[in-house]
Amino acid sequence: MSENLQVELVYFYPKENSKPHKTDKFELIYDEQNPIPILRRGLKFTIAVRFKAKTYDPQKDRVRLIFNFGPTPNPVKGTRGSVIISPTRTRIEDKKTWGGNVLNSASDLILEIFAPPEAPVGVWQLQVETSRINSTLPATVYNHENDFYILFNPWNCHDLVYMPEERLLDEYILTDVGKIWVGPYGSSRGREWVFGQFDACILPAAMLIFEKSDLPPASRGDPIKVSRTISKLVNSNDDDGVLVGRWDGEYDDGTSPSSWTGSVQVLQEFLDTQSPVSYGQCWVFSGVVTTSYIYNSCFCSW
């Protein structure tokens, strides 16, 4: 009896997929050792599956892709998606569920996959399940070793964070340097702030924020709940969040709020220590929240 197909590798085309997904500015995509795919929900993306010894035969082989989110993935809660590969399926019709098409199977199995516009945002994992048609052999499961990110998609009209004005999206989502207003009422002034949302530390730091939160994985596709979680966790009070606020001028055991020039240094320290960073005031909180929100448009577009 013939054995199941054995997966040799899976390739996500991180650079190629990043262009239509508008994620090509993220540094993680270009890591030479381990490029991380960063995708937006509600769009198609291309992956390749290579098998050992023999190629995919649609008349004999069954291939299923399983996409998992969180510690206990559940299809009912939207944290588990399944795509059964079929050569007869020529287009993705259902925009609310995971779907897939075969683009080429002459050598590697080249697939077009669709992530639904309500998928939870964050880190996903992929399993490839192979079996033989009309066989009693148990399926073989390949666990892809590298995670990938799915983000909110304000360019997609089916996503709750959709925003039709592309000019504003260029500013809100794709511009990484801006101005923050500081100072008391009547004498406030603008100062440059490096939001740095595409830096390699930002996505992992945002994931750490959610690990510290009580927001369940199934709720991480809801932009309102995600936004509230970020707003809550940017402050260390009661939640072991990102920043410790201080206004008394005593900053010797940390960094003076006025010394920060951007969000990257704050979030890098938070990621490295996994502890609240000292110290921040209103504009520092504002800058870090904005970077985290931009990530979540990256999570969300607000």
Side-chain angles (χ1 to χ4, degrees):
M1 182 178 293
S2 298
E3 295 182 351
N4 298 336
L5 287 172
Q6 302 290 320
V7 176
E8 180 177 344
L9 62 84
V10 174
Y11 186 65
F12 265 84
Y13 297 100
K15 294 180 183 178
E16 293 83 353
N17 284 319
S18 71
K19 295 291 185 180
H21 286 248
K22 298 186 185 298
T23 58
D24 53 301
K25 290 187 176 183
F26 282 93
E27 292 181 358
L28 289 176
I29 292 171
Y30 304 99
D31 187 289
E32 293 184 359
Q33 301 298 321
N34 183 30
I36 305 297
I38 302 173
L39 309 167
R40 294 194 186 276
R41 63 186 193 174
L43 290 179
K44 301 173 185 177
F45 58 94
T46 303
I47 67 172
V49 182
R50 178 174 297 168
F51 300 105
K52 301 176 183 177
K54 57 182 180 178
T55 58
Y56 166 73
D57 183 345
Q59 304 303 317
K60 299 178 180 179
D61 298 307
R62 181 181 290 110
V63 177
R64 183 164 74 118
L65 273 58
I66 303 169
F67 297 90
N68 294 315
F69 184 82
T72 55
N74 186 323
V76 176
K77 295 183 178 181
T79 55
R80 183 181 177 96
S82 178
V83 178
I84 298 175
I85 302 305
S86 170
T88 61
R89 193 174 302 167
T90 58
R91 65 181 185 275
I92 299 169
E93 296 180 347
D94 189 347
K95 298 298 184 183
K96 294 185 178 181
T97 62
W98 289 84
N101 297 321
V102 176
L103 298 180
N104 193 315
S105 60
S107 178
D108 295 341
L109 183 59
I110 310 299
L111 304 171
E112 179 183 65
I113 304 298
F114 174 77
E118 297 179 356
V121 293
V123 175
W124 284 76
Q125 295 83 35
L126 170 65
Q127 294 176 313
V128 181
E129 183 183 270
T130 56
S131 59
R132 299 288 283 180
I133 296 174
N134 299 323
S135 171
T136 58
L137 283 175
T140 300
V141 178
Y142 170 86
N143 294 297
H144 185 48
E145 62 182 6
N146 296 325
D147 300 334
F148 65 99
Y149 287 92
I150 290 182
L151 312 178
F152 279 120
N153 189 357
W155 285 271
N156 188 289
C157 63
H158 300 290
D159 195 310
L160 285 173
V161 301
Y162 173 63
M163 193 172 189
E165 297 89 348
E166 290 218 12
R167 176 183 60 84
L168 297 180
L169 288 174
D170 287 343
E171 178 182 351
Y172 297 160
I173 308 302
L174 301 180
T175 301
D176 58 359
V177 178
K179 182 175 283 188
I180 281 186
W181 293 93
V182 301
Y185 175 77
S187 61
S188 61
R189 66 191 187 282
R191 60 176 291 179
E192 183 178 86
W193 190 265
V194 180
F195 296 105
Q197 68 268 28
F198 304 115
D199 190 272
C201 76
I202 300 302
L203 292 174
M207 286 297 94
L208 178 58
I209 291 174
F210 283 93
E211 288 174 13
K212 289 175 174 284
S213 78
D214 57 2
L215 186 67
S219 296
R220 297 182 189 180
D222 184 330
I224 296 174
K225 293 179 179 178
V226 165
S227 298
R228 288 175 175 171
T229 297
I230 293 173
S231 298
K232 179 182 179 183
L233 266 295
V234 75
N235 193 321
S236 68
N237 291 357
D238 304 322
D239 299 302
D240 199 31
V242 179
L243 273 164
V244 178
R246 191 160 189 172
W247 288 264
D248 61 5
E250 301 294 331
Y251 309 123
D252 290 344
D253 58 341
T255 299
S256 169
S258 62
S259 296
W260 299 114
T261 58
S263 304
V264 173
Q265 303 98 314
V266 176
L267 289 169
Q268 182 70 67
E269 183 174 334
F270 174 66
L271 181 63
D272 291 343
T273 64
Q274 301 199 15
S275 300
V277 177
S278 303
Y279 292 102
Q281 291 181 6
C282 53
W283 73 91
V284 185
F285 286 107
S286 171
V288 172
V289 165
T290 301
T291 296
S292 300
Y293 278 169
I294 290 174
Y295 152 69
N296 291 307
S297 68
C298 315
F299 265 8
C300 73
S301 61
W302 304 343

